Amino acid sequence: VPLAAAETVTSLTILGGADKVGEPETVDLTLRPGEVVAIVGPTGSGKSRLLADIECLAQGDTPSGRRVLINGAEPDPALRFAPLRPLIAQLTQSMTFVVDLSVGEFVALHAEARLGEVSSEIVGRVIAAANRLAGERFGPGTALTQLSGGQSRALMIADTALLGAAPVVLIDEIENAGIDRRKALELLVEKEKIVLMSTHDPILALLGQRRLVIRNGAIAAVIETSARERQTLEQLQRVDSALMDLRHRLRQGERVEHPLTW
Ligand SMILES: Nc1ncnc2c1ncn2[C@@H]1O[C@H](COP(=O)(O)OP(=O)(O)O)[C@@H](O)[C@H]1O
Ligand SMILES: [Mg+2]
């Protein structure tokens, strides 16, 4: 039975293949809606490969030999090779808009395509959500091509969360994206998506309930975020917001002579 609707995905399973030298990857990992999983590891270790395996619903036919199951079973081949893969949305650092539309027109077009109708209410909700993620505000009349990198990504994330059908969202290193990363994840989780994100950012790594440690092309460990690590995360977030505040004040032309507090 081909899966079409978002509601039908209750689990995503990754079955291990082999690392870069052919040693077996002993992994059988099942993820469920509302879960955020971080993917950590040095550059070149295979984080993007893992995301690509999920994106194409690999069946032992990629360099890693991994297999990906949906709801415990091999997905219908029609689903794998459909031009629009309805299950998976991918967000990357380098996405920008090139179409000659306003933000409002773009969101309305997508709402119409997805829901069959447009209301100014849903368009407003997507733009408001994007504005909560981006540093500088924009409105429905702003041209897509005028959006900054951070604003573009904020709009894409809000659009994926609120209008996207895909139950699985893959995020490849968006740390320097100029958006509020914690809020972006919260928005996706609230919509019951399965979120996998590769990252070098300690805050994002600890925001996941689990993190997959990639070494030499394989998942070498699965680490559950502990209660103490969540305390570390809170501390990191205070440091982060102190830095953001400092950055803001410098940009406003202020002096920053008093020491940071967090
Ligand atoms: N299990 C694997 N078997 C074979 N090649 C792999 C495997 N995992 C990753 N690679 C290859 O290693 C290279 C680096 O992986 P990549 O995913 O780009 O690393 P990262 O995103 O962590 O920087 C890529 O060419 C990728 O295809
Ligand atoms: Mg990569």
Side-chain angles (χ1 to χ4, degrees):
V1 183
L3 292 159
E7 302 74 56
T8 56
V9 172
T10 55
S11 71
L12 177 105
T13 301
I14 302 164
L15 300 177
D19 72 9
K20 290 192 194 183
V21 294
E23 292 293 324
E25 177 188 46
T26 51
V27 164
D28 176 346
L29 184 71
T30 295
L31 313 178
R32 298 189 187 279
E35 260 194 80
V36 174
V37 176
I39 301 170
V40 299
T43 299
S45 59
K47 299 180 298 297
S48 296
R49 179 69 262 158
L50 174 60
L51 290 173
D53 287 343
I54 297 166
E55 209 269 330
C56 75
L57 301 170
Q59 296 303 320
D61 49 5
T62 67
S64 69
R66 290 187 183 105
R67 297 203 302 131
V68 176
L69 309 181
I70 299 291
N71 300 346
E74 188 180 319
D76 190 303
L79 198 65
R80 289 195 69 195
F81 301 110
L84 290 170
R85 302 206 185 102
L87 292 185
I88 319 269
Q90 194 156 20
L91 301 168
T92 64
Q93 194 72 265
S94 59
M95 294 174 106
T96 46
F97 291 104
V98 289
V99 286
D100 180 23
L101 288 175
S102 71
V103 168
E105 286 166 336
F106 166 77
V107 177
L109 273 177
H110 192 200
E112 170 127 53
R114 274 279 298 124
L115 312 170
E117 57 174 335
V118 198
S119 66
S120 55
E121 195 259 325
I122 181 72
V123 174
R125 267 203 288 151
V126 172
I127 296 172
N131 273 312
R132 282 194 290 277
L133 308 181
E136 276 137 291
R137 297 190 65 79
F138 58 91
T142 309
L144 286 177
T145 50
Q146 275 171 359
L147 298 178
S148 70
Q151 288 172 324
S152 299
R153 278 178 290 268
L155 180 60
M156 245 165 316
I157 289 170
D159 181 79
T160 299
L162 297 172
L163 285 177
V168 180
V169 179
L170 308 176
I171 302 176
D172 205 357
E173 296 183 19
I174 58 158
E175 30 264 50
N176 301 315
I179 55 166
D180 186 322
R181 297 151 293 179
R182 187 181 51 81
K183 283 191 196 148
L185 285 180
E186 278 171 6
L187 184 64
L188 292 165
V189 166
E190 198 181 292
K191 297 296 159 192
E192 287 289 300
K193 311 268 184 194
I194 297 172
V195 180
L196 288 110
M197 53 172 180
S198 78
T199 188
H200 295 292
D201 178 327
I203 292 182
L204 285 177
L206 293 173
L207 274 170
Q209 285 102 2
R210 290 189 273 183
R211 58 188 186 272
L212 313 182
V213 181
I214 312 292
R215 206 171 286 146
N216 205 21
I219 300 172
V222 180
I223 300 177
E224 198 96 24
T225 306
S226 67
R228 289 195 123 167
E229 284 180 327
R230 278 194 286 276
Q231 289 175 2
T232 307
L233 172 63
E234 276 174 35
Q235 202 177 13
L236 272 174
Q237 286 178 318
R238 285 196 294 275
V239 174
D240 192 51
S241 69
L243 269 175
M244 295 224 299
D245 179 57
L246 192 74
R247 189 178 301 134
H248 178 74
R249 284 158 50 204
L250 281 168
R251 287 173 68 186
Q252 300 301 311
E254 290 175 30
R255 281 194 178 277
V256 286
E257 283 171 345
H258 26 274
L260 290 179
T261 48
W262 57 75

